[in-house]
Amino acid sequence: MSTDMKRRIFLKGSLAAGAVSVAAGAGLLMPQQVLAAWPKAAFEAKSIPDALNALMGSGDTTTSDKIKIKAPDIAENGAVVPITVESSMEGIESIAIIASANPVPLIASFNLKGSAMGFVSTRIKMGKTGDVIGVVKAGGKLYSASKGVKVTIGGCGG
Amino acid sequence: MAKSSIKIRAKTKKDVTTVKALMTHPMETGGRKDKKTGKLIPAHYIQEIVCKHNGATVLTADWSGGVSKNPYVSFKFAGGTKGDSIEISWSDNKGGSGTQSAKIK
């Protein structure tokens, strides 16, 4: 698809989002659809390339050893898995955390502004054993690193 | 529900400020079932957080329900001195939001 086509789709999407927020303002829809800035498509994508495409405009990542992922080898409780993604790269724009085995793989996307450094740490839910992938966008390119985490009790079911 | 329950701790060491924050939020994915009724518990999770240092945004984040209940987030930025203000705010998919500010120690 050409860039122009993409822009067309993006315009359509933002117009639609505008209409949705007007409707929500009138009390017709759930307020959850008001947040236009939140990348809904990325968080609804079931596959990792789809999610990255919707989030960062590209599904291609290059494996990099400049990204460090700190995660436990075995997570006893999948509902709380501490993850730290650190990178020494220059010009980092954003960092995404993906759990490959989750029903919704994309967990979080952090956008770094100003003087922020390549370091984010949070706790995530993991449905089952799988890889945790850290994707770093720097200088318009995507770099990734992954680490396998074994989950003994899943954190997505009830 | 207690809305603005964010705990923030920020420290500067060698010109690098580390911010740690803990928010109180159920973070329901929408895919979990109520054990008694068997019905799905509606999704209720934080979608966006914004972190500011002296009023300037240093980090924004978009989250799914995949972030753990009572989310913890930590990040670093260059600069920052003791007494500077750190402000963190969040908004969830039900229109709820919370803001809290703290000083760098």
Side-chain angles (χ1 to χ4, degrees), chain B:
Chain B
M1 193 201 277
K3 283 288 180 192
S4 73
S5 38
I6 312 175
K7 279 183 193 161
I8 305 172
R9 206 156 279 174
K11 261 188 180 169
T12 302
K13 203 177 178 185
K14 288 177 186 169
D15 285 335
V16 174
T17 306
T18 306
V19 181
K20 291 174 181 172
L22 202 56
M23 295 156 232
T24 308
H25 203 278
M27 297 302 284
E28 282 295 344
T29 58
R32 223 160 59 94
K33 277 182 183 167
D34 189 316
K35 275 179 186 155
K36 282 175 196 159
T37 60
K39 281 183 188 163
L40 284 174
I41 301 170
H44 186 202
Y45 54 90
I46 295 175
Q47 288 187 313
E48 283 185 295
I49 62 167
V50 177
C51 310
K52 288 179 182 172
H53 166 234
N54 279 349
T57 306
V58 283
L59 181 96
T60 64
D62 300 311
W63 285 355
S64 74
V67 176
S68 299
K69 183 181 173 183
N70 297 335
Y72 162 83
V73 63
S74 170
F75 62 95
K76 291 179 182 176
F77 63 89
T81 44
K82 199 176 164 182
D84 284 3
S85 83
I86 296 289
E87 187 190 298
I88 297 183
S89 54
W90 57 262
S91 52
D92 67 22
N93 65 331
K94 287 188 175 178
S97 64
T99 304
Q100 187 70 45
S101 57
K103 299 251 183 274
I104 297 178
K105 278 180 187 168

Side-chain angles (χ1 to χ4, degrees), chain A:
Chain A
M1 198 188 285
S2 73
T3 323
D4 207 48
M5 281 296 288
K6 272 186 187 159
R7 188 180 299 143
R8 211 79 341 245
I9 289 165
F10 172 73
L11 272 174
K12 264 188 200 163
S14 48
L15 279 176
V20 166
S21 48
V22 168
L28 295 170
L29 284 167
M30 292 290 286
Q32 65 191 25
Q33 291 172 24
V34 176
L35 287 168
W38 190 67
K40 195 165 177 279
F43 284 110
E44 278 178 353
K46 300 280 184 259
S47 81
I48 298 161
D50 283 356
L52 285 177
N53 229 333
L55 184 71
M56 299 182 180
S58 165
D60 300 324
T61 58
T62 315
T63 312
S64 169
D65 56 4
K66 281 188 179 169
I67 305 168
K68 275 183 196 152
I69 297 180
K70 214 169 109 187
D73 293 325
I74 298 171
E76 280 183 19
N77 182 1
V80 185
V81 185
I83 305 285
T84 301
V85 180
E86 206 173 351
S87 174
S88 55
M89 270 186 248
E90 296 279 323
I92 296 175
E93 291 160 43
S94 59
I95 297 175
I97 298 174
I98 293 167
S100 59
N102 275 19
V104 180
L106 182 64
I107 299 214
S109 154
F110 296 88
N111 304 304
L112 278 55
K113 306 265 165 71
S115 55
M117 296 170 81
F119 173 96
V120 285
S121 178
T122 188
R123 297 190 298 217
I124 68 166
K125 294 174 199 164
M126 287 182 73
K128 55 189 176 210
T129 300
D131 284 344
V132 172
I133 305 169
V135 179
V136 172
K137 187 178 184 185
K141 284 188 176 169
L142 301 183
Y143 301 92
S144 72
S146 67
K147 186 181 189 303
V149 176
K150 200 177 170 198
V151 177
T152 42
I153 304 166
C156 284

